[in-house]
Amino acid sequence: MTIRTLRVFVLITMLFMTTPSYGDLTVHIGPASVGGGGPNPISIPPINPLDYEFVWLTENHTEWSLSLFPGLLYGYRAVMQSGGYISAGAGMVLNIHGVGPGFYTAFGFDHCAWLCFNVEYKQAIGFIPGMLINPYALRIGLVFFRN
Amino acid sequence: MTSPCIAHPIQINTTFCYQRVLRRFIESVLTSILSFFYAGLALAFSTGVGLTAMEEGDDRYRPGVMVQFNSGSFDARLYYSSREFGPVFESTGLLSVTGGFPVPISSWLFAHTGIGILQEKTKIAYTLNDSSFDKSDVRYNLGMALGLRLKSHLTKDVHFEAGWDSFLFPAGVTGGILLSTGRKQIIFLGSGVQW
């Protein structure tokens, strides 16, 4: 690795770590339970779109979650001093049995060193005609643009 | 000092007298223990029961019951659900031991994290003279308990609560590495009394 490449790498890393931001973005990867039993292992290589989730957290502690499972969700995150947090909200919940409005809760933990790592368990309950659907996912990820 | 049984003026027989003395001794010991326990218990604690709906990864909810013990932020509760169809009997027991903390959103909301112990029992019992076809299996697992609960006091000593608990268990030896899990989800309504 040349010094020039190293400088570019350091600058990009500092950009992600120190940019004044209006929120941060977490990219999660991990298997979801889609209603056909428990989750299958994470895909290797990690190219299965079902495993991915994007969470945008605003400065007001509201968050948008986008994934195929459990779905498109909007909620509020309460952060604890220990670095853990709990989120709750509502949105469109999806699993193999259908899609419908519902609620979600999430438990997560952030740890920032030279990168910010995150682990989160998210569960949702959705309402479709005749039944409740219950997708969930345990995912790990990286947090970007955290100030 | 003479034995109280021998000195007692209206004893029927020595054996009966010693039984009375022993009973009085046990009563006094139990009374002392209970009074010490009650007087020494500085923390208030509560107990309660409730009704549950348990989902086991298949989008189907099964009715069950719950009993709980709570002292400060410490919470222990037992969930139980069972069903019988034909010769098959299935039961699921979950014990959660968690610590709770208030969620800043509302004074009624509490989050709980801790450990969960699972017991799953399956019995197949045919009504045959030959019991060699009968089967029985018990499985245990240890995992993480996570819950979001709403607690509201109806009176000073009686509270009502509703909750959404989940138990995550590693699916196999590689479950922790590959994030593959099994889950039990419980929605419950209950009430309790503070002592």
Side-chain angles (χ1 to χ4, degrees):
Chain A
M1 180 182 285
T2 63
I3 292 181
R4 185 176 180 179
T5 307
L6 186 61
R7 283 178 184 167
V8 171
F9 176 75
V10 169
L11 281 173
I12 292 174
T13 304
M14 289 174 63
L15 188 72
F16 283 146
M17 290 169 62
T18 62
T19 302
S21 68
Y22 296 101
D24 60 49
L25 175 69
T26 303
V27 180
H28 279 137
I29 183 170
S33 172
V34 300
N40 290 320
I42 189 171
S43 57
I44 298 174
I47 58 174
N48 188 346
L50 302 184
D51 288 347
Y52 283 87
E53 180 188 45
F54 301 91
V55 181
W56 176 255
L57 177 70
T58 70
E59 282 191 335
N60 298 327
H61 297 287
T62 57
E63 62 176 26
W64 285 96
S65 302
L66 175 62
S67 63
L68 283 173
F69 304 104
L72 176 62
L73 305 166
Y74 175 76
Y76 180 83
R77 180 183 293 191
V79 182
M80 312 300 167
Q81 288 182 342
S82 60
Y85 63 84
I86 179 168
S87 307
M92 293 304 289
V93 179
L94 170 70
N95 84 350
I96 61 171
H97 295 122
V99 57
F103 306 98
Y104 83 96
T105 63
F107 296 81
F109 185 78
D110 289 330
H111 178 70
C112 293
W114 59 284
L115 280 179
C116 281
F117 299 93
N118 174 273
V119 58
E120 182 181 273
Y121 164 71
K122 182 170 285 171
Q123 59 183 6
I125 293 180
F127 302 89
I128 65 174
M131 65 184 292
L132 297 177
I133 56 176
N134 306 270
Y136 75 89
L138 177 64
R139 293 181 165 124
I140 58 175
L142 292 175
V143 185
F144 300 99
F145 310 118
R146 174 156 293 179
N147 196 5
Chain B
M1 180 177 175
T2 58
S3 165
C5 292
I6 296 174
H8 200 283
I10 57 172
Q11 68 181 44
I12 299 176
N13 57 60
T14 306
T15 303
F16 178 74
C17 181
Y18 276 115
Q19 286 174 346
R20 279 196 306 163
V21 170
L22 184 62
R23 189 183 68 201
R24 286 180 186 171
F25 173 74
I26 292 174
E27 286 172 357
S28 62
V29 168
L30 284 176
T31 305
S32 301
I33 291 174
L34 285 173
S35 60
F36 173 78
F37 180 79
Y38 187 78
L41 198 65
L43 284 175
F45 66 95
S46 67
T47 57
V49 295
L51 299 175
T52 67
M54 184 185 295
E55 188 268 337
E56 302 184 75
D58 55 2
D59 287 346
R60 290 177 173 84
Y61 284 84
R62 298 168 181 82
V65 294
M66 168 193 79
V67 292
Q68 61 104 355
F69 173 86
N70 176 280
S71 178
S73 63
F74 171 82
D75 185 280
R77 54 188 68 205
L78 181 65
Y79 305 97
Y80 180 79
S81 175
S82 69
R83 59 176 180 163
E84 195 169 349
F85 43 99
V88 181
F89 173 81
E90 285 183 347
S91 71
T92 302
L94 280 160
L95 173 67
S96 78
V97 179
T98 61
F101 49 93
V103 179
I105 303 172
S106 167
S107 60
W108 291 1
L109 274 179
F110 296 86
H112 283 256
T113 59
I115 61 171
I117 301 171
L118 167 70
Q119 181 202 59
E120 288 183 311
K121 197 183 288 186
T122 305
K123 283 185 183 176
I124 303 176
Y126 295 101
T127 54
L128 300 173
N129 292 331
D130 185 1
S131 63
S132 63
F133 294 100
D134 296 350
K135 293 183 190 299
S136 180
D137 185 60
V138 183
R139 300 292 175 97
Y140 295 90
N141 209 336
L142 178 69
M144 182 183 295
L146 302 165
L148 182 65
R149 299 170 190 167
L150 187 148
K151 186 174 180 179
S152 174
H153 283 268
L154 299 175
T155 67
K156 183 187 167 194
D157 295 324
V158 178
H159 69 263
F160 161 83
E161 59 177 358
W164 183 4
D165 284 5
S166 283
F167 296 80
L168 284 177
F169 300 98
V173 177
T174 58
I177 301 173
L178 301 175
L179 302 179
S180 184
T181 57
R183 183 197 70 164
K184 307 290 184 187
Q185 176 183 252
I186 295 173
I187 300 172
F188 66 85
L189 291 173
S191 65
V193 178
Q194 187 158 315
W195 302 94

